[in-house]
Amino acid sequence: MSDIIHLLPDAVANQIAAGEVIQRPASVIKELVENSIDAGATHIQVLVMDAGRTSIQVIDDGKGMSETDARLAFERHATSKIREAADLFSLQTMGFRGEALASIAAVAEVELKTRLATEELGTHIVLSGSKLVSQELTSCPVGSNFLVRNLFFNVPARRKFLKSNATELSNILTEFERIVLVNPGVSFQLYSNDSELYHLPDATIRQRIAAVFGKKIGEQLIPISVDTSLITIEGFIGKPESARKKGSHQYFFVNGRYMRHPYFHKAVMEAYEHLIPVGEQVSYFIYLQVEPSHIDVNIHPTKTEIKFENENSIWQILSAAVKEGLGKFSAVPTIDFDTEGKPEDLPVFNDRNGHFTPPQVHYKEDYNPFASSTEGGYHRDYQREKMIDWQKLYEGMEVHPQVSAGAEQQPPSMPELLSPSDAAEHQTELLQFKGRFILTSVKSGLMLIDQHRAHVRVLYDQYMEQIARHTSTSQGVLFPEVVQFSPSEATMLESIMEDMTAVGFELTPLGGGSYAVNGVPAGIEGLNTVELVHSMVDTAMEKACSVKEEVQSILALTLAKAAAIVYGQVLSAEEMTSLVDCLFSCATPNYTPEGHPVLQIIPETEIEQMFSK
């Protein structure tokens, strides 16, 4: 029997490793920028073309590399970060496994120019698919300049599965934001197709947060700080009034590294219990410092999941820190009596002799509020004469058991849940129950319709038809409102602008991520336009859709939910009739676009059984 096990060629092994480390253009930027930070760079430039498909360039002013190091850096498991297994448990740097550059070179064309400060000339290396094309001396600044072209050129299957440019650029901005938030002392620039998206000078953490996400979020932050022998926690949490259903910015960093941690997220959100509505989120930027030997950062290929040795204890400390921050913010304002040795700043009211008399309370000891005569000096008969007969206010307002909706009229089409006999004898006598359900009788029993879900179903179909036909009606606003977006949000907005225009929005760019809302879809009067536009963009980013139909569905559903009838809204007979008729005109009236039931039928036999005893 012949042997079947053999060693893979280095090029194939590197491509397999690239599948773990380099998943998309954003992964390349993450690895290269983190290497620049480890090299001590104080200024880093990132330039991408076509969302990284054509080229990615990272330029830094770090320490650079020698000629030998520059060549070894592209070999697998070559690293300057660790020398023995014990070093894995005392990591102070970002990248350490020695696979990033080898993985990038395996699936792209890479060009590197680098120079040490002690050298007059630098090194210029060109690789393609892990193969060395050329290596020579060159004149270049101190630091490193990586240029990555034609990513996944030799792995067409991987390149085919890349998302649209808008989605990939959004992923790049997400990775970039995670890095810049935890390195405020480093200045960054980011260019996309020669257009500058970010120009971030070195700053404090709070200034960096405001520079990335806007000044408004900087005004909504509460500082937190705690220092224990186990962990040091610094950062900012959002004020309760800044809570929102979508689009909150939530970041955990440990020892200068971004991480996801659902368990610690729960600790933060539990502190907001009873302070924010259920289902809403707040932004937070929390920086943890722990002993490197107490965490394991190598449990995930992208190192975004980290295991802690004392998770339960850290959970308690984190929860207490957030509650303390909220407590200080929510404290009742008091007058500051600390006059710092200046008693004359606090005036004192006294008499000429330097004495003051406290205020006195005067009351009538013989007053009796239950007296029926003039006892206590209070004439009760006069009050009786002025009392209102409240029963007269209810005359003519008797509650009737049913509300008729007018002449009998059969809807254009029946839902699948209705049998043909039900459709033939459907009655339009409608009754609203608890401000939520519309009740009507059918031959087989009693039908209950959720008014909010029914309206969502109707509006969703209308908006989808408007997008398809570009027949929406836009209503101009007298005083345009200004909406501010971060670069990542503005990128997503531009990708869905055509569909938003088709729905009825008119947005005009003002520069710097600001847009003026000059027109809104007709029929959404009274809604908060700024929040609605933000919600549509946040939902599109959350879904990360690249298929046009899916993006259109997201926009239509978000707008339908915002404009639909709310629970508790009282409907007239005509409004109920119109809603039910429109619902049964839909192709799928039984369910919302998300698959939730719109109506239910209680069979007559089931109702009779309730009264059989």
Side-chain angles (χ1 to χ4, degrees), residues 64-72 74 111-116 119-127 132 134-146:
M65 290 181 281
S66 66
E67 182 179 2
T68 303
D69 286 346
R71 179 64 190 92
L72 284 176
F74 292 97
E111 184 177 343
L112 167 64
K113 293 181 181 179
T114 183
R115 180 169 76 88
L116 293 170
E119 303 288 339
E120 294 184 0
L121 293 176
T123 304
H124 182 200
I125 294 179
V126 179
L127 299 97
L132 179 65
S134 66
Q135 179 174 347
E136 58 187 7
L137 297 177
T138 187
S139 177
C140 62
V142 175
S144 298
N145 183 339
F146 282 91

Side-chain angles (χ1 to χ4, degrees), residues 32-171:
L32 293 181
V33 173
E34 286 183 348
N35 281 345
S36 297
I37 293 172
D38 287 340
T42 59
H43 181 74
I44 300 174
Q45 288 180 294
V46 181
L47 304 93
V48 298
M49 297 295 293
D50 299 326
R53 276 185 169 85
T54 301
S55 69
I56 298 170
Q57 189 172 15
V58 176
I59 306 171
D60 68 62
D61 61 352
K63 64 181 64 175
M65 290 181 281
S66 66
E67 182 179 2
T68 303
D69 286 346
R71 179 64 190 92
L72 284 176
F74 292 97
E75 298 295 330
R76 288 193 69 197
H77 307 306
T79 179
S80 62
K81 315 295 176 61
I82 59 175
R83 296 187 179 277
E84 56 186 18
D87 293 340
L88 288 171
F89 303 99
S90 59
L91 292 168
Q92 302 286 349
T93 56
M94 297 297 101
F96 57 85
R97 296 185 305 171
E99 293 180 357
L101 293 182
S103 299
I104 294 171
V107 293
E109 299 171 352
V110 181
E111 184 177 343
L112 167 64
K113 293 181 181 179
T114 183
R115 180 169 76 88
L116 293 170
T118 57
E119 303 288 339
E120 294 184 0
L121 293 176
T123 304
H124 182 200
I125 294 179
V126 179
L127 299 97
S128 179
S130 293
K131 295 181 181 180
L132 179 65
V133 176
S134 66
Q135 179 174 347
E136 58 187 7
L137 297 177
T138 187
S139 177
C140 62
V142 175
S144 298
N145 183 339
F146 282 91
L147 177 60
V148 181
R149 294 192 183 96
N150 300 326
L151 186 64
F152 300 130
F153 79 99
N154 54 353
V155 192
R158 177 63 64 87
R159 188 177 179 89
K160 183 179 69 174
F161 280 97
L162 289 178
K163 304 294 185 181
S164 66
N165 281 0
T167 301
E168 293 300 338
L169 182 58
S170 178
N171 290 324

Side-chain angles (χ1 to χ4, degrees), residues 180-379:
V180 302
L181 286 174
V182 79
N183 295 282
V186 180
S187 63
F188 292 89
Q189 287 179 278
L190 175 63
Y191 294 85
S192 174
N193 297 338
D194 298 326
S195 176
E196 186 179 63
L197 299 184
Y198 278 113
H199 188 173
L200 306 172
D202 60 312
T204 64
I205 292 178
R206 188 165 196 154
Q207 290 171 337
R208 178 58 56 86
I209 293 172
V212 173
F213 298 115
K215 294 181 180 179
K216 184 176 181 180
I217 193 173
E219 299 169 354
Q220 298 172 341
L221 298 178
I222 304 170
I224 61 171
S225 178
V226 63
D227 189 3
T228 68
S229 59
L230 183 63
I231 189 171
T232 299
I233 301 176
E234 301 283 345
F236 299 90
I237 56 176
K239 296 179 181 179
E241 59 264 29
S242 68
R244 49 196 297 194
K245 291 184 178 180
K246 295 178 182 178
S248 57
H249 306 288
Q250 299 175 334
Y251 292 88
F252 278 117
F253 303 97
V254 57
N255 294 358
R257 187 189 305 275
Y258 168 80
M259 72 166 182
R260 296 187 183 95
H261 210 293
Y263 186 53
F264 290 166
H265 168 77
K266 185 178 180 181
V268 175
M269 297 313 301
E270 280 194 359
Y272 284 88
E273 192 174 7
H274 306 307
L275 296 178
I276 62 175
V278 176
E280 294 194 357
Q281 301 282 327
V282 292
S283 298
Y284 58 76
F285 306 85
I286 299 178
Y287 300 78
L288 313 178
Q289 285 290 332
V290 299
E291 182 65 33
S293 60
H294 294 169
I295 60 175
D296 185 359
V297 301
N298 201 26
I299 64 173
H300 192 273
T302 60
K303 300 185 283 291
T304 57
E305 297 179 9
I306 298 176
K307 184 173 179 56
F308 288 76
E309 185 177 303
N310 303 295
E311 282 192 347
N312 292 336
S313 300
I314 295 176
W315 195 98
Q316 298 290 342
I317 296 172
L318 176 60
S319 178
V322 175
K323 290 179 179 178
E324 181 184 13
L326 290 172
K328 290 180 179 179
F329 164 74
S330 301
V332 177
T334 56
I335 299 175
D336 185 5
F337 288 99
D338 184 7
T339 57
E340 298 183 359
K342 299 179 181 179
E344 65 274 8
D345 292 343
L346 189 65
V348 177
F349 294 95
N350 49 37
D351 58 18
R352 296 178 180 177
N353 298 323
H355 302 288
F356 66 91
T357 304
Q360 302 293 324
V361 178
H362 301 279
Y363 60 92
K364 301 185 68 173
E365 296 183 358
D366 59 346
Y367 172 68
N368 182 3
F370 301 101
S372 59
S373 61
T374 58
E375 181 182 354
Y378 187 80
H379 201 291

